[in-house]
Amino acid sequence: MRVMVLGKATEGNNGAPPSKEAFAAMDRFIEELVQAGVLVAGAGLKAGAECKRITIDGDRRTIVDGPFAETRELVAGFQIWEVKDMDEALAWLARYPAMPGKNEIELRPFMEAADLADYVTPEELATPREGDRGKLGVA
């Protein structure tokens, strides 16, 4: 099962770069994930004026430029893990290094092919996607 690990910005950790010590701890943890074959992808995300928020309402698109006032709405970083179940993801998360300030992490399972059974035929589910979409495991 694949899970998205979302690191949320908090009042004490508003997307600012981590300390050298915190960066080193996260780097060691990520290396453990890689060695265990768990890490699929991941990155820290910039905060501030470079961000955009797009609201879609039917055909209408509204673009809001960052920075955003509500820190709790920011995703500071993400990782994609390949684990056997949510218990394994929680076990890895128990070892996740704390960044300065209060930390909030959200684990969200990916929709897998079986979750789409109401939308596609069994034949479509059994046929692997071609090209980059197939390599990425995109449903």
Side-chain angles (χ1 to χ4, degrees), residues 8-134:
K8 303 276 194 87
T10 61
E11 293 302 325
N13 174 12
N14 61 1
S19 67
K20 287 183 180 182
E21 295 81 11
F23 182 87
M26 184 59 74
D27 192 51
R28 286 189 300 273
F29 178 70
I30 289 172
E31 187 57 32
E32 289 178 43
L33 292 170
V34 169
Q35 293 302 316
V38 171
L39 186 70
V40 175
L45 302 172
K46 292 183 177 183
E50 297 178 60
C51 300
K52 307 283 185 206
R53 181 171 292 150
I54 297 89
T55 303
I56 301 172
D57 184 6
D59 291 341
R60 189 170 152 214
R61 308 293 190 265
T62 304
I63 299 171
V64 177
D65 294 331
F68 306 117
E70 294 293 326
T71 300
R72 64 178 169 70
E73 296 178 1
L74 296 178
V75 175
F78 79 95
Q79 295 174 3
I80 299 172
W81 294 351
E82 180 74 44
V83 292
K84 66 180 180 245
D85 54 30
M86 190 59 84
D87 288 339
E88 182 184 0
L90 290 170
W92 278 106
L93 195 58
R95 299 170 49 199
Y96 201 94
M99 295 292 110
K102 182 180 175 182
N103 292 236
E104 182 178 331
I105 307 294
E106 185 174 330
L107 284 176
R108 297 193 63 186
F110 275 67
M111 290 187 80
E112 301 292 352
D115 299 314
L116 304 174
D118 290 342
Y119 306 101
V120 294
T121 67
E123 293 78 22
E124 290 172 317
L125 284 175
T127 305
R129 299 273 186 183
E130 294 182 14
D132 289 338
R133 186 171 175 181

